[in-house]
Every structure is written in structure tokens, then in C-alpha cells.
Amino acid sequence: MGNDNDEVIKLLNNLNSSLDGLSTVEAESRLKEYGFNEVKEKRRSPIESFILKFWAPVPWMLEVTALLTFILKRYLDMDIILFLLVFNSIISFIQEHRAENAVELLKSRLNIMAKVKRDGKWNLTPARYLVPGDLVTVKIGDIVPADLKIIEGQVLVDQSVLTGESQPVERKFLEALYSGSIIRRGEAKGIVIATGDKTYFGKTTQLVQEAKSKSHIQDIIMKIVRYLVAIDVVLVVALTVFAIINGINVSETLPFSLVVLIASVPVALPATFTIAMALGAEELSRKGILVTRLSASEDIASMDVLNLDKTGTLTENRLRVGDPIPCKGYTKEDVVSLSTLASDEASQDPIDLAVIECSKAMGIVPKFKRIHFEPFDPTKKRTEALISTPDGEMLVIKGAPQVIRELANVDKDWFDQQVKSLSAKGFRVIAVAMGKDKLNVVGILPLYDRPRQDSSTFIHEIKKLGVKPKMVTGDNTSIAVEIAKEVGIGDKVCNMREIMTNDQEREKSIEECQVFAEVFPEDKYTIVRSLQSNGHIVGMTGDGVNDAPALKQAEVGIAVSNSTDVAKASASMVLTHEGLTDIVEAIKTGRKIYQRMLTYTMNKITKTLQIVIFLTISFFLTRFFVTTPFDVILLLFFNDFVTMSIATDNVRYSMSPERWDVGRIVKSSLVIASLVIVESFFILWLSLVMGFSHNEIHTVTFDMLVFSGQFTIYLIRERGRLWSSLPSKPLIVSSIADIIVVTLISFLGILVTPIPLWFALIVLTITLLFTLLFDEIKVKFLRLS
């Protein structure tokens, strides 16, 4: 006892405190030094977020184009381009702006009252005012308000949301209690050793703030823009050299450079991607999946690794009794019945609750009456019940097997073998004994946090979709392997503590492992980062504070239905139904979103290549520009923005993860563009033969570009015949409306030079016939590829 007092005094001296607690004056002084017991927030202002929408690849191109139109005094063109620039930024801001409230929710979790001793008196004080050196008490049901060292008492504490441990743990004299954990049993007095950002909880928060998933959509758009700019530069240089060789004034080629630049700006690409993802998010919400970061609805299409938290995600996060093992002369029912008498629901002890639940499930009603009950005593490591039987009063005890073994008669070799075998499989073991003068072991109860009923089906489904599952848990290796085998993940296990000590092998081990055991919160974050550095698109599921950093870092962070608010705020998707099966639907929907975005992207690249290559070569041949900058801007409205309806198209999902290979997409688009360019020159030749003026040819070219753009969508959207699947109603309606409106304005001369209606219809017919011909070539080409 004297040594214990010495340890307490030493701890108090280190923190410059006493058993009377801090004085109010000292507490206020420390509050200024250490700050409030809360998490500091880092958040970008909405104004800054909106301004940054103008700092990206597509806005840059629009801004350069607007500047060129201003220099060339084409003010109407400039106004339209600036409108497009602002329109894109507003759409992106509205759809993508989500308040970064994970840190705010972490703060609110600490917004609790604490019983603290100040000036020698116990008072209730808001936890945010706690400082190192404060004396506090915690009891059953309390959330621990700061990191404490216990100086008196003993508690059972649930820290699963912090560490991922599936079972509550005992904490006694001079052991630590972490902020944010929950007291399940007992009462203790402790001294505050850390507050705010310095707590275990706060360090997790720091990881949440540092974690940031990369936007693959922006990377994709940037790559597309690079290809288009490279093509533009080559063609503009070629035209300039051609002009110099042929004695053409270089200033006359400036309008062409402007046309090329305007034509190649994928102005509606960000908006289309955003709308496709927003519609996908809406579809997912109807299936019980809330998307909190828009890009995740498409990122999940590319996800090829899914890290699965065990506790509360793959498993139920509650102790269950396995198959009881009776001793000779007893039955399984005897083991359960007697252990129920030695349990009490009022204690809220997880083991007691598991035993009572098992008794109800088996329909067992104890046949003896309980006279007296002693709840679990940490020093004795057992519960006790005095019961009335026909043979008189008897004692029933339930507790740790090593304790029961010493107190009761049993075949020790058999008993030890059973306990060892169960422990190796990851079970927590308790023993039950009964007797009057001499106790006899009745049997053994294996306890475990069992897998959810749908977990194995879910694992099978995602494997079929080409997604590799990995289990991540704070539990020991034995438990981790047993659960992983049961749900079908595999048995290639890595102990995270061993991996973290070997920097050279860590990345390789993380890549190859199927199961990670003894994982800390920062380890989950490390696992996600390592997989991302190896080129994977990573998913992560979780439910607790300990999962929050990894959930936020992953491209697809998925909080399950029973998650803490912190996990939900850090994730990019939140499941509202129990279990994981909704993730399968999310993967399928994400891959449909990818197909729609791919169709739009290929159509845009095809049109851009068609326009810039056709305009360049036609200038070489005719010595005049067959369209105008204003016509190209009109094309943005009558083609790019109308084709945004692709975001609604009916598509099929693939059975393997999708990846954006922009180089391959550009090459495929170039093949289709080459075919459409042939069509373009045929229509140009026809208009020259018909003797149309240059201005009329501008209109004919405009019509041809709009019509072929619409038909190209249907050519691209299907690998088979273009009529193999039915497009969405919005896509069909928008295409028909676009063709009708363009035909009418060409005939009536609205914004363009009028041409005869019959010729506009001829252009429409020719583009349709060429599309059917190209469809035949496309099908044969794809079969050969």
C-alpha cells in the first residue's frame, strides 16, 4: 500500500498537483498555457473555396480564351466565354461543396461535463475547461473527458471506437484511460495527463485533419486537357508555317488559333462529370447509401482494394456465446442455465448480457431460484450466485478459466486442452462451476464477436466484381485469422506491430497481406496511404473514431450504419442499412457512372479532334476558314451542353474495376474522329459544288458539326450495334430537340447565315448514313481488337 501511495505522490508531483486538486487560479493559468480541452479546427472559408474553382485546368483554358477574345475585340465572344466560366464554377461549387464537419463533430464529442476537484471541492465542470493536473472521477456510462491515469479504483472500459478492440478492457491503478472511451463498469478517480490535441483522441483528430483523398477527376481532366493542348499547338504551328511559306499574313491566322482554342476547351466536361456523379449519388441515396463527397460515387468504380474494419463492420460488435462445452455428467443446457444464474442484466456486463441472450435463444429457463448475486469482482475475476436446489443451497461461480480451475474439481488435462484450443481460435473463454462444500466445473462457454450473417455473401460478391478484400483489426492474430477464414477473406495474416518495425518490407507486406492484426488508428491510415502509393484506388470501411483518419484518406471511405458521428463525417459514403451488402450496389452504380462519363469524354475528344484537324486541313485546301469563332461558341451550347444529358444514360456495369486510361481513350477517339473527318470533307465538297458562299459554308459546317456530334454519341455509347440498347429518355429527347432547333435557326438565319431547308436536311441525312456506315466499321474493329 505504501508503494502505491508513493507512486500517486510521484505522479501528482510530476504534474504539480495534489489530492485536493488544482486551485481555480492555477487551473485558469494552465488553461491559458495548454488551451481548451478540445480539437482545433482547420477549415477553408466558402469564399476561398469558390475562388479556387477558377484555378483548375478547364478554367485556365477559358480564361486564356477570354483574354484572346478581348485582345481581338470580339467582346460578344468574350462575354459568352466568361459566362461559361462562371457557370461552371457555380455548378461545381454548389455540387461539390460539403462542410468539413468531421473536426467539429470531434469537438462536440468532448462537449461533456466532468466531475473535477478544484480548491478541495468536487464540482461539475464542462470538459473543455479541464487541464493537465486536474483530479476527476468517472463511473459507469461516462465518456472519459481527457486522458487520465487511474489513482484509485478499477473500471471496465469500452475503447473500441478508439482502438478497434472488440471487447471492453480492464483498467486499474496507474493505467491509462483514453479520452472518448466509455466506462462500462466500475468507478475510478484519475488525474488528467493530457487534453485536447495531446490526447490519444486528439492525435487521431490530427490524422483526420491531415488526411485528404486525392481527386482523380481533376487528374483525368488535366490529362485530357494536356492531350488537347498538345494537338492544338501542333496544328497552330503547322498553320503558321504554312502561312509563312505561302506568303499569308500571320495575323490572319490568329482567328483560326482562337477557333482551335475554343473548340478544344472541354467547357462542359467538369459540369457533366459533376451532374453524372450527382445523379449517381441521388440513385445511391434511394438505395440507402448517402454520398458525402461527390467524386466517391465515381471513384468506387475504380476501387480495386477494400479494407474492411472487423469490429462492428464484418462482425456484430457484441459478445455471443458459441457452442457450450459441458464436463462429464452435465449437458450444454446445464452449462447455460447455471451460467445464467451467475449473470445479471442490470450489471450491463458484456459477458453477462451474452450469457442471458444465449439462454433466451436456446429457450432455457433456469430451474433453480437465485437467492443472492455478487457481480463481477476484478480482484476475484468471477461472479457468484447463491441458488436454492432440492439438495439445499449451492454456490455457482462464473469467471476466468484459470481462476475456476483452481477453485473447483475438474480433469485438468482435459480442461487445459479445451481452453488452449478455444483461445487459439480467437475465443474468449469463461468457465462455470457449482457446488456446496466442494465446487465442480460444470463446463466452458466460448465467447466471440461473431461475423454478421451477410458478411460472407458480401465478400463473395465483391470478389466477383474484381475487388480485393483486406481485413483490418485491432484484435490479436488468432481472432483476426478465425474471422477472416469464416467470412472468406483468406488467411494470409500480418501482425501490424511486426510490419511497422521493418520499413523495407512494410510496403510489400501491406500489398500481399489479406488480414492485418493488432492495428492502431495510425496504422489504418498508413495501410491506406501505402496501397495508394502502389497505384491502388482504395476503399475503407469503419464505424469508430479510430477509423476516421483512414476513412478520410481513402478515395472511398465508407461508414457503416451504426458508426459514430465522427466516422460518418470523415467518410465519403454512409450506409443507412445494416450490413455491407449495399456496397455491392454502390460499386455497380459507380461503374455505370464511369460508363456515362466515358461516353461524354470520348465524344468530346472525338469532336475536338474532328474540328481542329478538319479546320486545319480545310484551310490548307481552300485558303479560307470554313467556320468562325462565334460558330464554335454556339457549338458549345448546341453540342457540349446538350450532350450533358449523357449523364442520365442507360448503361451496363462491368465485372472488373474501371480505370481511366486517357492515352487509350484519345487513341480510340482519334480512330472515330478520322472516320468523321471523312464525312466532314464530303459535306464541305458538296457545299462547294453547290456554289455556296463562304458565310453559307460556315452555316453548313456548323450544322454538320452539331448533327455528327449528336450521332457520334450513339456510335460511342455501345460497343455493339448502336441500337443494341435503349438510351435514356432525356438523352433521346435532347438530341432530337437539338437537331430540330439547329435546323430551324439555319433555315431562318438566326445567329447564322441562312441556308435552304432542303440542304440542311441533306446534311442531316448524310451524317446519319455515314454514322450507320461507321457503326459497321466500329463493330468489326472492336471484334478484331
Side-chain angles (χ1 to χ4, degrees):
M1 189 68 181
N3 288 337
D4 288 354
N5 287 334
D6 290 344
E7 289 293 335
V8 171
I9 291 168
K10 183 179 178 182
L11 179 62
L12 290 169
N13 288 339
N14 287 340
L15 291 164
N16 198 17
S17 185
S18 72
L19 290 174
D20 288 328
L22 300 173
S23 68
T24 301
V25 174
E26 177 62 22
E28 289 175 353
S29 172
R30 294 191 186 190
L31 192 63
K32 291 177 182 176
E33 179 183 354
Y34 294 104
F36 289 111
N37 179 32
E38 61 188 15
V39 181
K40 295 181 180 66
E41 180 184 5
K42 295 177 183 177
R43 183 172 291 177
R44 182 180 288 158
S45 72
I47 294 173
E48 184 184 357
S49 297
F50 179 70
I51 290 172
L52 287 175
K53 296 298 177 189
F54 295 90
W55 188 254
V58 172
W60 293 337
M61 294 185 75
L62 286 171
E63 287 152 8
V64 169
T65 307
L67 180 62
L68 285 174
T69 53
F70 176 77
I71 293 171
L72 295 171
K73 299 182 179 180
R74 307 183 73 94
Y75 300 120
L76 178 60
D77 295 358
M78 181 190 72
D79 291 341
I80 293 173
I81 291 167
L82 290 175
F83 166 78
L84 295 175
L85 177 64
V86 175
F87 174 81
N88 252 348
S89 298
I90 291 173
I91 288 288
S92 178
F93 178 77
I94 291 173
Q95 292 284 9
E96 293 180 357
H97 183 62
R98 293 288 184 271
E100 291 286 340
N101 56 350
V103 176
E104 186 63 35
L105 286 165
L106 283 165
K107 285 173 63 179
S108 70
R109 217 179 139 77
L110 286 179
N111 190 22
I112 54 177
M113 301 298 288
K115 191 174 182 181
V116 58
K117 198 172 190 181
R118 297 263 176 91
D119 299 318
K121 297 179 181 178
W122 291 100
N123 296 292
L124 281 177
T125 303
R128 72 190 300 260
Y129 294 110
L130 291 180
V131 294
D134 267 329
L135 284 180
V136 300
T137 61
V138 289
K139 61 183 185 303
I140 184 170
D142 285 350
I143 295 175
V144 180
D147 281 5
L148 312 175
K149 272 283 184 72
I150 296 175
I151 60 172
E152 184 182 312
Q154 188 167 344
V155 292
L156 182 73
V157 59
D158 179 356
Q159 51 189 32
S160 61
V161 296
L162 294 172
T163 65
E165 294 170 295
S166 61
Q167 299 172 11
V169 293
E170 296 285 348
R171 288 290 178 261
K172 53 185 186 294
F173 182 68
L174 290 184
E175 291 186 335
L177 290 176
Y178 294 131
S179 169
S181 53
I182 302 170
I183 305 300
R184 294 301 185 197
R185 185 184 63 223
E187 186 171 346
K189 184 187 297 181
I191 186 166
V192 176
I193 57 174
T195 59
D197 293 341
K198 303 298 182 184
T199 63
Y200 187 99
F201 185 91
K203 290 172 183 175
T204 300
T205 307
Q206 292 298 314
L207 283 178
V208 172
Q209 294 188 84
E210 292 167 12
K212 185 179 181 183
S213 57
K214 192 176 180 183
S215 173
H216 292 278
I217 295 299
Q218 283 299 324
D219 283 348
I220 293 158
I221 293 172
M222 189 64 183
K223 287 177 183 176
I224 292 169
V225 168
R226 283 193 195 123
Y227 274 103
L228 296 178
V229 167
I231 293 167
D232 289 350
V233 169
V234 170
L235 293 175
V236 169
V237 169
L239 182 65
T240 304
V241 170
F242 177 82
I244 293 171
I245 292 173
N246 290 276
I248 301 171
N249 192 330
V250 175
S251 63
E252 293 180 26
T253 64
L254 278 177
F256 172 79
S257 301
L258 183 61
V259 169
V260 168
L261 184 59
I262 294 171
S264 61
V265 177
V267 62
L269 190 64
T272 304
F273 279 17
T274 300
I275 290 170
M277 291 185 291
L279 291 174
E282 186 180 342
E283 182 181 343
L284 288 172
S285 70
R286 291 195 295 270
K287 296 175 179 177
I289 306 158
L290 303 181
V291 178
T292 59
R293 181 169 55 79
L294 210 55
S295 60
S297 61
E298 189 277 331
D299 281 336
I300 200 168
S302 305
M303 182 181 74
D304 59 337
V305 174
L306 179 58
N307 294 320
L308 296 157
D309 178 54
K310 181 188 79 69
T311 307
T313 304
L314 284 170
T315 64
E316 297 174 337
N317 196 21
R318 59 186 293 190
L319 281 177
R320 299 276 191 172
V321 176
D323 192 22
I325 302 173
C327 290
K328 190 174 181 181
Y330 296 97
T331 66
K332 293 181 181 181
E333 288 73 16
D334 291 334
V335 181
V336 174
S337 177
L338 291 169
S339 63
T340 302
L341 288 168
S343 304
D344 192 87
E345 198 167 9
S347 71
Q348 289 298 294
D349 185 285
I351 294 177
D352 285 8
L353 294 176
V355 170
I356 293 167
E357 180 68 26
C358 175
S359 178
K360 290 177 181 177
M362 293 177 68
I364 295 173
V365 178
K367 49 190 174 182
F368 304 123
K369 182 180 178 182
R370 187 170 69 189
I371 301 170
H372 178 71
F373 174 74
E374 287 287 338
F376 183 83
D377 184 340
T379 57
K380 295 180 180 179
K381 295 189 181 300
R382 65 181 184 267
T383 62
E384 298 181 358
L386 189 64
I387 65 173
S388 174
T389 75
D391 298 326
E393 293 182 355
M394 289 197 180
L395 182 68
V396 178
I397 61 173
K398 168 177 72 49
Q402 65 272 21
V403 172
I404 305 300
R405 180 182 185 275
E406 297 303 318
L407 295 174
N409 291 324
V410 69
D411 180 343
K412 288 184 168 48
D413 290 339
W414 174 86
F415 185 86
D416 292 345
Q417 181 60 39
Q418 294 297 325
V419 171
K420 183 179 179 181
S421 175
L422 290 169
S423 299
K425 293 178 180 177
F427 287 100
R428 183 174 180 177
V429 182
I430 61 170
V432 184
M434 181 181 73
K436 194 170 185 179
D437 299 321
K438 186 67 177 176
L439 294 171
N440 294 301
V441 175
V442 175
I444 298 169
L445 286 178
L447 295 153
Y448 72 119
D449 179 19
R450 73 183 184 192
R452 293 182 56 85
Q453 291 184 348
D454 56 1
S455 290
S456 58
T457 303
F458 164 73
I459 296 298
H460 176 70
E461 288 292 324
I462 64 167
K463 282 184 173 180
K464 273 172 52 179
L465 290 168
V467 178
K468 185 188 297 181
K470 292 177 181 283
M471 192 176 84
V472 183
T473 178
D475 280 331
N476 64 48
T477 302
S478 297
I479 296 173
V481 170
E482 193 65 26
I483 296 295
K485 284 180 181 176
E486 199 166 334
V487 299
I489 288 177
D491 58 1
K492 187 155 189 178
V493 64
C494 291
N495 185 299
M496 205 62 197
R497 305 279 48 82
E498 295 172 6
I499 292 177
M500 295 303 287
T501 60
N502 191 334
D503 292 341
Q504 293 181 342
E505 292 295 320
R506 184 188 308 158
E507 201 164 288
K508 182 182 177 184
S509 297
I510 288 174
E511 178 71 30
E512 295 176 352
C513 277
Q514 296 170 314
V515 183
F516 299 95
E518 297 186 29
V519 174
F520 292 163
E522 57 267 30
D523 297 335
K524 295 183 180 183
Y525 177 77
T526 299
I527 290 168
V528 172
R529 287 286 301 269
S530 176
L531 290 168
Q532 287 173 331
S533 68
N534 281 342
H536 294 288
I537 304 298
V538 182
M540 176 78 205
T541 69
D543 64 343
V545 176
N546 63 308
D547 303 313
L551 286 171
K552 193 172 182 189
Q553 177 64 33
E555 285 88 352
V556 187
I558 304 170
V560 297
S561 61
N562 59 344
S563 297
T564 61
D565 287 343
V566 177
K568 289 176 181 177
S570 302
S572 49
M573 287 185 176
V574 179
L575 306 182
T576 60
H577 300 147
E578 287 192 4
L580 299 171
T581 51
D582 283 347
I583 296 176
V584 175
E585 285 303 313
I587 293 171
K588 293 175 181 177
T589 301
R591 291 180 185 178
K592 289 179 182 178
I593 294 169
Y594 168 86
Q595 291 296 335
R596 293 168 187 143
M597 293 166 69
L598 178 63
T599 300
Y600 184 89
T601 303
M602 285 191 67
N603 184 63
K604 176 59 188 175
I605 296 174
T606 298
K607 293 309 299 176
T608 300
L609 294 171
Q610 176 196 6
I611 293 168
V612 297
I613 295 173
F614 170 63
L615 295 185
T616 305
I617 297 175
S618 64
F619 179 77
F620 292 163
L621 297 175
T622 65
R623 302 298 179 90
F624 76 92
F625 298 115
V626 298
T627 191
T628 67
F630 182 77
D631 287 346
V632 174
I633 292 173
L634 275 184
L635 188 65
L636 295 178
F637 283 98
F638 285 105
N639 204 348
D640 284 26
F641 279 94
V642 171
T643 54
M644 286 168 67
S645 57
I646 290 171
T648 69
D649 194 18
N650 297 323
V651 292
R652 293 183 289 270
Y653 62 86
S654 70
M655 292 303 293
S656 57
E658 303 281 14
R659 282 300 182 99
W660 285 94
D661 186 343
V662 177
R664 186 176 178 183
I665 291 170
V666 171
K667 289 173 185 175
S668 300
S669 301
L670 183 58
V671 172
I672 298 171
S674 301
L675 298 173
V676 182
I677 288 169
V678 173
E679 167 196 316
S680 305
F681 276 108
F682 179 80
I683 292 173
L684 174 61
W685 169 79
L686 189 60
S687 60
L688 289 170
V689 170
M690 297 296 295
F692 287 136
S693 67
H694 288 181
N695 287 336
E696 288 173 323
I697 289 175
H698 292 163
T699 303
V700 171
T701 302
F702 172 72
D703 285 8
M704 179 270 297
L705 292 174
V706 171
F707 298 156
S708 65
Q710 288 302 314
F711 291 139
T712 301
I713 294 170
Y714 301 94
L715 184 69
I716 289 172
R717 66 177 293 277
E718 262 292 344
R719 289 196 174 188
R721 300 290 185 185
L722 59 82
W723 56 80
S724 297
S725 64
L726 188 66
S728 68
K729 188 179 292 184
L731 179 56
I732 294 174
V733 170
S734 63
S735 292
I736 293 172
D738 192 37
I739 289 169
I740 291 172
V741 171
V742 169
T743 302
L744 288 175
I745 68 169
S746 301
F747 168 62
L748 298 173
I750 301 171
L751 301 175
V752 295
T753 303
I755 60 172
L757 178 60
W758 62 268
F759 195 77
L761 294 175
I762 285 177
V763 173
L764 177 62
T765 303
I766 291 171
T767 52
L768 175 59
L769 292 174
F770 267 101
T771 301
L772 295 173
L773 173 63
F774 298 155
D775 190 53
E776 182 72 25
I777 297 171
K778 175 202 72 176
V779 171
K780 289 183 177 178
F781 171 74
L782 287 174
R783 283 177 179 171
L784 291 172
S785 61

